[in-house]
């Protein structure tokens, strides 16, 4: 196990949302305070996490975060120039090194509501117990017939035109659910993963990411089927 270091959850949420208006705070299923409430609730239940940094330019997000009245929650009022639709992830990675000086960062998003406290704990334990990898990121395994514009990319049609899907070479989609890395590696590689990340597999529901309006609607149905808690 890696030496005991502070584990900090970094939760970025900018105010504007082009595809889904007020995505972070609008009512979601039976949750009045939306995805922000869900994600902070989950992170607060993760015993391994020492601190939660809510990075936002949205006063309503700040109000929801502070309503938990937890010493674990710290508000980072993100600069306007880093809270636009044109802000790149690379820019935000550099910013993280300015507000977090040491420790282990678990970068996650409210748009992954099906990654709950049990999964976060398992991710952290997997990362801490592993001596051969320098970081971790959540992925979704894809074992289907995949092509570029001209040819298959995960099987050889010269050997077998239509192999069984079980024999196809799997590829892995980065689902952006969570990334775990030491802040020193953020500085070293200018990245939220290192050179040899653990690929932590999530199933289809766990890896569901809310990006479009249709995703939001589907996720509400899934939430009402599998989860049962409400906000105030």
């Amino acid at each position: 196990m890696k030496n005991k270091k502070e584990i900090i959850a970094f939760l970025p949420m900018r105010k504007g949302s082009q595809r889904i208006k007020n995505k972070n705070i609008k009512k979601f299923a039976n949750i009045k305070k939306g995805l922000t409430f869900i994600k902070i609730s989950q992170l607060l239940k993760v015993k391994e996490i020492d601190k939660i940094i809510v990075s936002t330019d949205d006063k309503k997000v700040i109000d929801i975060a502070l309503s938990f009245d937890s010493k674990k929650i710290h508000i980072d009022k993100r600069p306007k120039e880093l809270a636009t639709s044109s802000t790149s992830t690379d820019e935000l990675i550099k910013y993280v090194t300015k507000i977090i000086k040491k420790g282990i960062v678990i970068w996650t998003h409210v748009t992954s509501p099906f990654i709950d406290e049990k999964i976060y704990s398992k991710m952290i334990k997997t990362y801490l117990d592993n001596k051969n990898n320098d970081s971790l990121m959540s992925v979704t395994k894809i074992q289907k017939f995949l092509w570029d514009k001209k040819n298959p990319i995960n099987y050889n049609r010269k050997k077998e035109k239509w192999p069984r899907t079980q024999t196809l070479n799997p590829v892995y989609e980065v689902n952006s659910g969570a990334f775990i890395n030491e802040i020193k590696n953020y500085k070293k590689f200018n990245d939220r993963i290192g050179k040899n990340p653990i690929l932590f597999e999530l199933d289809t529901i766990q890896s569901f990411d809310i990006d479009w309006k249709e995703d939001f609607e589907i996720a509400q149905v899934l939430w009402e089927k599998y989860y049962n808690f409400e906000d105030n």
Side-chain angles (χ1 to χ4, degrees):
M1 181 178 288
K2 298 176 177 69
N3 293 332
K4 172 60 179 173
K5 296 175 182 176
E6 187 176 42
I7 297 177
I8 303 159
F10 177 72
L11 188 61
M13 284 180 280
R14 68 181 183 86
K15 186 176 182 179
S17 177
Q18 292 181 314
R19 298 184 183 122
I20 308 171
K21 187 177 180 180
N22 298 320
K23 175 175 63 178
N24 299 326
I25 58 175
K26 68 181 295 185
K27 184 180 179 182
F28 177 84
N30 58 344
I31 309 297
K32 296 176 184 177
K33 298 175 185 176
L35 296 172
T36 295
F37 182 90
I38 289 171
K39 188 52 59 184
I40 294 177
S41 296
Q42 291 167 334
L43 292 172
L44 283 172
K45 293 175 185 175
V46 183
K47 59 181 178 58
E48 294 89 352
I49 291 177
D50 301 297
K51 181 188 296 185
I52 302 167
I53 295 180
V54 177
S55 179
T56 187
D57 62 327
D58 191 334
K59 185 181 182 301
K60 290 183 179 178
V61 166
I62 293 173
D63 289 343
I64 292 171
L66 293 178
S67 71
F68 284 91
D69 194 26
S70 170
K71 292 181 180 180
K72 280 190 175 184
I73 296 173
H74 297 256
I75 304 300
D76 168 58
K77 295 182 179 180
R78 200 191 307 175
K80 290 182 179 180
E81 63 270 19
L82 290 175
T84 70
S85 58
S86 62
T87 301
S88 71
T89 301
D90 286 357
E91 289 177 294
L92 202 54
I93 287 168
K94 291 179 181 178
Y95 177 67
V96 168
T97 65
K98 295 178 181 179
I99 63 173
I100 302 174
K101 299 301 181 182
K102 60 182 180 178
I104 296 166
V105 178
I106 176 165
W107 179 320
T108 190
H109 300 100
V110 300
T111 50
S112 298
F114 303 108
I115 302 178
D116 61 19
E117 58 274 12
K118 292 179 182 178
I119 299 171
Y120 284 122
S121 288
K122 188 175 180 180
M123 282 182 181
I124 293 169
K125 186 177 188 304
T126 300
Y127 167 79
L128 292 176
D129 288 347
N130 195 290
K131 297 179 181 179
N132 301 316
N133 301 81
D134 59 1
S135 52
L136 177 149
M137 64 180 176
S138 62
V139 298
T140 308
K141 182 179 178 180
I142 300 174
Q143 206 162 5
K144 298 179 180 180
F145 297 101
L146 300 175
W147 283 54
D148 56 22
K149 289 185 177 181
K150 293 183 178 180
N151 299 295
I153 62 175
N154 63 335
Y155 66 102
N156 188 342
R157 280 179 61 83
K158 291 180 180 179
K159 290 184 177 180
E160 189 176 6
K161 290 185 174 61
W162 298 107
R164 291 176 298 134
T165 54
Q166 301 96 310
T167 65
L168 292 172
N169 292 325
V171 295
Y172 297 89
E173 176 190 1
V174 179
N175 54 48
S176 297
F179 303 84
I180 304 179
N181 199 2
E182 283 197 55
I183 200 67
K184 68 178 183 180
N185 284 336
Y186 273 67
K187 297 174 182 177
K188 183 177 180 180
F189 301 118
N190 290 317
D191 203 349
R192 55 186 174 181
I193 58 171
K195 290 296 184 181
N196 186 26
I198 300 164
L199 302 185
F200 188 95
E201 291 184 37
L202 299 176
D203 67 29
T204 303
I205 293 177
Q206 293 167 352
S207 63
F208 195 97
D209 178 61
I210 299 173
D211 194 18
W212 300 88
K213 288 182 180 180
E214 294 84 355
D215 298 331
F216 195 91
E217 297 302 321
I218 293 169
Q220 289 187 93
V221 174
L222 292 171
W223 181 267
E224 290 176 340
K225 179 175 177 60
Y226 293 106
Y227 290 84
N228 185 28
F229 77 76
E230 299 182 6
D231 54 358
N232 296 323

